[in-house]
């Protein structure tokens, strides 16, 4: 059985995008991807909500 979790990070003035960039640059995203049982970890920028990142 798989469980999907969607998380929106919201911010102003590009802070959500900077947060996602920092998560990637710091290696946090790679660490999350390496966790046992984790099938996928991706970031998406919703076109309808440019002040948020969907993880």
């Amino acid at each position: 059985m798989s469980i999907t979790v969607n998380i929106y990070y919201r911010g102003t003035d590009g802070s959500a995008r900077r947060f996602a960039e920092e998560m990637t640059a710091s290696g946090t995203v790679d660490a999350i991807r390496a966790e046992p049982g984790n099938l996928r970890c991706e970031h998406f920028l919703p076109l309808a909500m440019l002040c948020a990142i969907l993880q």
Side-chain angles (χ1 to χ4, degrees):
M1 176 174 75
S2 295
I3 297 173
T4 300
V5 177
N6 293 317
I7 302 169
Y8 278 99
Y9 294 99
R10 299 175 191 220
T12 57
D13 299 321
S15 62
R17 184 183 195 101
R18 287 191 302 275
F19 172 76
E21 290 169 349
E22 174 61 27
M23 293 272 292
T24 301
S26 69
T28 303
V29 173
D30 289 333
I32 292 168
R33 288 180 180 143
E35 286 290 320
N38 187 358
L39 302 177
R40 183 174 175 178
C41 178
E42 301 293 338
H43 291 103
F44 299 93
L45 182 62
L47 295 177
M49 194 179 350
L50 295 178
C51 63
I53 296 292
L54 172 62
Q55 178 179 19

